[in-house]
Amino acid sequence: MANEITVPLLPCRSIDEMVGFYTMLGFARTYYQTRPNPYVSLRREDLRLDFFGMPGFDPEESYGTCVVLVPDTGELFEAFAAGMRRVHGKLLVTGIPRMTRPRKRKNADNVSGFTVIDPGGNWIRIMAAAPVPEEETATGKLTTTLHRAVVMGDSHGKHVRAAQILDAALDRDRDTATAAEQLEALAYRAELALRAEDPAAAGDALARARALPLSGAERDRLAGTLAALDDVEAALRPAP
């Protein structure tokens, strides 16, 4: 048999809250009921997510999760990010809800992935269906440690431990890592600080990253990382 379809059914505190959030990301509501039980279906092209409401549900305690395999994580991330910026004026990078950036996952064959943590505390793990072929490049010690930190911070949600791993590596390799390697590590360090509600550490990592000397070619290659710094800067601005 072929063409089977699996639909995740995930818990939430309020189905209306889920509708608002996922509509921002480009989903449409395809089914909605409040009785006998709150239930909503949301769809964006071939991606469908269903949610059921639970009175007294605490998103911080949620174990809800699912994996979504897509051809291009970068394209979907940018679409979601555009929706967040349109509604909130910035990328949501801290608290619940939030979204991580696409990064290679050492614990998933180095395929690119990012995660949407929705208002129900559900982790929607967006992963590339296949690795993207890349040119062979030498990987420095700092980059190797960054990959470990990404597993800790993005896959396991242990922001503080990931930051500790990265801080030790940034100190160890400050005189040997390339500017490009340091930029990638500092951008992620700033994001981790935001998730840990440590704006001082986020600002420090941001300033160090901005001060790195980069060539024009490096800036072009690292455009996504530089955009991540812009998102950190936006998150640090006081609310109007």
Side-chain angles (χ1 to χ4, degrees), residues 51-167:
F51 300 93
F52 60 95
M54 293 179 62
F57 181 75
D58 182 0
E60 292 281 358
E61 300 297 323
S62 177
Y63 285 88
T65 188
C66 69
V67 174
V68 179
L69 300 178
V70 300
D72 187 339
T73 56
E75 180 180 341
L76 190 59
F77 170 83
E78 291 299 338
F80 286 177
M84 289 183 177
R85 293 185 182 110
R86 184 172 57 252
V87 173
H88 296 282
K90 62 182 180 180
L91 193 67
L92 302 178
V93 296
T94 183
I96 295 177
R98 67 179 183 274
M99 182 169 69
T100 67
R101 300 188 73 87
R103 288 188 173 89
K104 287 184 178 180
R105 303 296 177 88
K106 182 181 178 182
N107 59 335
D109 296 327
N110 282 328
V111 299
S112 174
F114 71 96
T115 302
V116 174
I117 296 89
D118 67 25
N122 302 296
W123 286 49
I124 313 301
R125 302 171 189 268
I126 316 292
M127 302 294 294
V132 178
E134 292 184 343
E135 296 180 4
E136 288 292 330
T137 56
T139 300
K141 290 172 64 178
L142 181 57
T143 298
T144 299
T145 304
L146 171 61
H147 292 163
R148 286 178 50 220
V150 168
V151 172
M152 190 64 63
D154 286 8
S155 294
H156 301 310
K158 297 182 178 179
H159 319 313
V160 174
R161 180 59 187 140
Q164 291 170 341
I165 291 171
L166 213 45
D167 282 342

Side-chain angles (χ1 to χ4, degrees), residues 11-34:
C12 66
R13 178 173 51 197
S14 162
I15 59 172
D16 290 329
E17 194 175 24
M18 306 307 282
V19 170
F21 177 77
Y22 280 99
T23 298
M24 174 182 68
L25 301 186
F27 285 71
R29 192 181 79 179
T30 59
Y31 181 80
Y32 180 93
Q33 73 172 39
T34 56

